Amino acid sequence: MSLRVFILAGEPSGDRLGGALMAGLRALHSDVSFEGVGGDLMAAQGLHSRFPMEELSVMGLAEVLPKYRHLKRRIRETAEAVIAQKPDVLITIDSPDFSLRVAALVKAGSDIRTVHYVAPSVWAWRPKRAVKMAKSIDQVLALLPFEPPLMQAAGMECDFVGHPVVAEPLATETEIRAFRNQFDLGETPLVLALPGSRRSEVTRLGPVFGEALQAFAHFHPQYRVVVPCAAPVADLVRSQAEDWPEDTLFLDPNAHSAEAYAAIKRAAFAAPDLALAASGTVSLELAAAATPMVIAYRFQWLTWQVMKRMALVDTVTLVNLVSETRVVPECLGPDCTAENIAAQLDELAKAPELQKAAMAVTMQRLGQGGEEPGLRAARAVLNRL
């Protein structure tokens, strides 16, 4: 029996999830076809995107305003295409500003089954989002193990399918040794610094990270700082070099092939003794590499005021949440100062092993060692059709 899937992703992380899910559906179902919107990884699985996925990457905050009418038209056009084609299932992936609006229009005009991949973080703030979402979504594919009960309580079917970080390749000892040799690092202890992948993040965090690491280096001169830059902000990070310790190693993806830099980045995450990182899913990448960390983030004043009043949890770090510990220190909002960060790095350097157990538990609970998340997601979709 033929299976027709309409699938939507609006950003690179969604494209990765979508590509893995499509591969899983192909492995489990002999006759499946795809229609929708996605990027290169979804195209490699047979999707001809109805329009470039990059058109949707501006969704959110001030960037959306100049293109609001165009995006609204894309939402309407996409929903109309889904209704006209009558697929067996509509799968929307993250990007809720686009995905959930399409799903709502589809539900209003048809009885097509809807699946949303990546649960909204209602455990962190705005819990009523799940209730609103349940009006147009039948099933949720959750990345975190504590999310299904929250989605089910709102009236949706929900399956924990594992986090994609558990399927990412890890650096081998050979790659780590090659990395140290390539950049003449010898046996020098390393501290990894990750000030973010967006220009706004790097602008806010770069100088305070640099100052904090200089203060840390004053008491720990044996450490060398390594910064694997994200491609969109590599130039900005390097322009802030004067704020960082003098011998900081900046790794520029634009100086290497994509394959070569992927290996360099894997090794850069695994080789260091400790890390300083912006808040986000990067904490899970560090946990996968078993690299102890300090998390820091500066918000715009208004954003911080809103967040601290609406927050439902006392930590933003997924390692802390998934492991049900609070071993990863955080310097957030007004506490994101060079002095505080340096002090936390100093404490971490004295006892890095205290985070090891929590990181191992986190990866186990996210599905490490089990079936790959893309295949689990595909199985969850098929089981409920």
Side-chain angles (χ1 to χ4, degrees), residues 180 185-192 216 220-226 247 271-274 349:
R180 283 186 170 274
L185 296 171
E187 299 302 320
T188 303
L190 305 174
V191 54
L192 182 69
F216 174 76
H220 301 272
Q222 71 274 28
Y223 282 87
R224 187 169 179 192
V225 178
V226 177
D247 62 349
D273 302 85
L274 56 152

Side-chain angles (χ1 to χ4, degrees), residues 81-113:
V82 176
I83 293 171
Q85 295 195 18
K86 299 179 180 177
D88 297 293
V89 61
L90 165 65
I91 302 175
T92 57
I93 305 173
D94 211 0
S95 301
D97 289 337
F98 175 74
S99 294
L100 297 183
R101 284 177 168 85
V102 171
L105 290 175
V106 169
K107 272 299 184 189
S110 74
D111 60 355
I112 294 169
R113 181 169 176 78

